Amino acid sequence: MIIQCPNCLKKYKYDEKKFEGKKKKKIKCPHCGTIFEITNPRLKIKKNDAEATKVSTSNRKLKQIQQALKNKSFKENKYSLAVLEGPLAGKILPITKPVVTVGRAQGDINIPDPEISRIHCEIVILPDKVLLKDLNSTNGTYFDNLKITEVEIGNRDEFTIGDTTLMLIITPKNTPETI
């Protein structure tokens, strides 16, 4: 069977024998490290089964990613992160897809700050807003000097991860570059 990571959207071939007769199995994406649950396609889940009625976090996240991929705002605007403080101060880091992870080593955007977790936070660009989510990082994600789990951010909003302060920059794609 083919499975897809709900975080990085990578697809993998998964041997159904590894279910060992179980209904569900938790696996770790070898690309981004996200742990998610898959369902054994050979075992039918009854409609009255409580598990079938629950919407798992990974399913909600997948729906959010799918919504972000259809995002008209992402097609019309250019998104980037300006590094205000930290090891990459002065750099502009482009956001090239609607859902990106930021981390020290395994993110879509990597910042060599030892106080940042390997995968620290996530930026999700939706049609009507931009979300900043902490991904259970060791040192936390801060917005307005408050430790957050998830917050809506806008153009020129600043947030801090580790010893690095970043600013979200949103510009229309049809804006000419200035020199």
Side-chain angles (χ1 to χ4, degrees):
M1 74 185 264
I2 303 296
I3 59 171
Q4 185 174 21
C5 174
N7 184 43
C8 68
L9 302 179
K10 288 270 188 184
K11 292 183 180 181
Y12 303 97
K13 189 173 184 177
Y14 188 80
D15 186 1
E16 293 176 20
K17 293 175 187 172
K18 291 182 180 179
F19 279 103
E20 301 166 340
K22 296 177 184 174
K23 284 184 186 179
K24 297 185 179 218
K25 186 101 174 177
K26 286 191 177 188
I27 61 168
K28 184 176 182 179
C29 175
H31 179 72
C32 71
T34 299
I35 296 173
F36 59 100
E37 193 171 68
I38 57 173
T39 304
N40 188 341
R42 294 186 182 210
L43 295 179
K44 292 184 179 179
I45 298 174
K46 298 174 188 171
K47 286 185 181 178
N48 62 355
D49 190 344
E51 291 178 6
T53 59
K54 290 182 183 176
V55 177
S56 72
T57 304
S58 62
N59 284 344
R60 269 187 265 132
K61 189 170 188 175
L62 184 58
K63 285 180 183 178
Q64 199 173 51
I65 290 169
Q66 288 168 339
Q67 183 183 12
L69 291 173
K70 295 179 202 171
N71 189 342
K72 184 179 177 185
S73 175
F74 189 75
K75 293 174 184 168
E76 293 176 352
N77 295 312
K78 185 168 66 172
Y79 295 82
S80 54
L81 295 174
V83 184
L84 304 178
E85 293 179 23
L88 298 179
K91 299 269 187 195
I92 302 293
L93 309 171
I95 297 174
T96 57
K97 54 188 183 176
V99 179
V100 296
T101 55
V102 181
R104 181 184 73 242
Q106 297 175 349
D108 297 310
I109 296 173
N110 293 313
I111 301 170
D113 178 342
E115 298 300 314
I116 294 176
S117 295
R118 285 178 293 191
I119 299 177
H120 196 101
C121 64
E122 178 178 66
I123 297 169
V124 180
I125 301 167
L126 297 169
D128 58 342
K129 60 187 169 187
V130 178
L131 298 176
L132 171 64
K133 299 178 182 184
D134 184 77
L135 298 177
N136 297 318
S137 63
T138 303
N139 293 324
T141 300
Y142 291 83
F143 178 74
D144 279 344
N145 294 321
L146 298 172
K147 190 173 184 177
I148 60 100
T149 53
E150 182 176 315
V151 68
E152 185 176 332
I153 60 173
N155 189 31
R156 300 192 181 267
D157 280 345
E158 298 177 18
F159 61 96
T160 302
I161 57 175
D163 290 330
T164 300
T165 301
L166 302 162
M167 176 191 288
L168 176 68
I169 306 291
I170 306 170
T171 52
K173 282 192 176 175
N174 58 7
T175 303
E177 295 287 326
T178 57
I179 298 175

